[in-house]
Amino acid sequence: MKKIAFGIIVCLLSISIFAQNPQKALQDFLAKPQYRSANIGVYVKDLTNDSLIVAYNTNTYLTPASLQKLITTFCALSTFGPDYKFITDLYYDGN
């Protein structure tokens, strides 16, 4: 329970910091060494007045990550069921 509460607090603090200066928050995030070789795209838009808040690398096609995996997993579970086992055949022709 403490981990969940801590996670919520960190998210709320991040949102409040990001809301004050979104462009600087994004630049600070991208400046971290662990993200130098990452492909990151950000597009945040205010839906109440249709204004752009922050955008970065918006014209680059990126491979979907975790959300796409959830959709694929849901479809596989719905189609095959939770007890299905994939079979992988291995063939060898040579020495």
Side-chain angles (χ1 to χ4, degrees):
M1 187 64 168
K2 288 182 182 180
K3 289 182 182 180
I4 294 172
F6 178 74
I8 292 171
I9 290 169
V10 169
C11 287
L12 291 174
L13 288 174
S14 299
I15 291 169
S16 66
I17 291 169
F18 187 75
Q20 292 174 12
N21 187 349
Q23 192 64 41
K24 173 140 177 37
L26 181 61
Q27 289 172 353
D28 292 345
F29 175 80
L30 295 172
K32 294 181 181 180
Q34 62 264 36
Y35 301 122
R36 284 199 182 117
S37 63
N39 293 324
I40 298 173
V42 177
Y43 186 85
V44 181
K45 187 175 182 179
D46 186 345
L47 297 178
T48 59
N49 61 8
D50 204 38
S51 64
L52 179 65
I53 295 173
V54 65
Y56 173 78
N57 213 12
T58 57
N59 293 324
T60 302
Y61 293 106
L62 302 172
T63 304
S66 297
L67 186 59
Q68 185 64 38
K69 293 173 193 167
L70 289 174
I71 295 168
T72 304
T73 302
F74 171 77
C75 291
L77 283 171
S78 297
T79 303
F80 301 117
D83 296 325
Y84 184 81
K85 298 212 187 296
F86 288 94
I87 297 171
T88 302
D89 295 323
L90 178 64
Y91 300 96
Y92 179 75
D93 183 20
N95 297 327

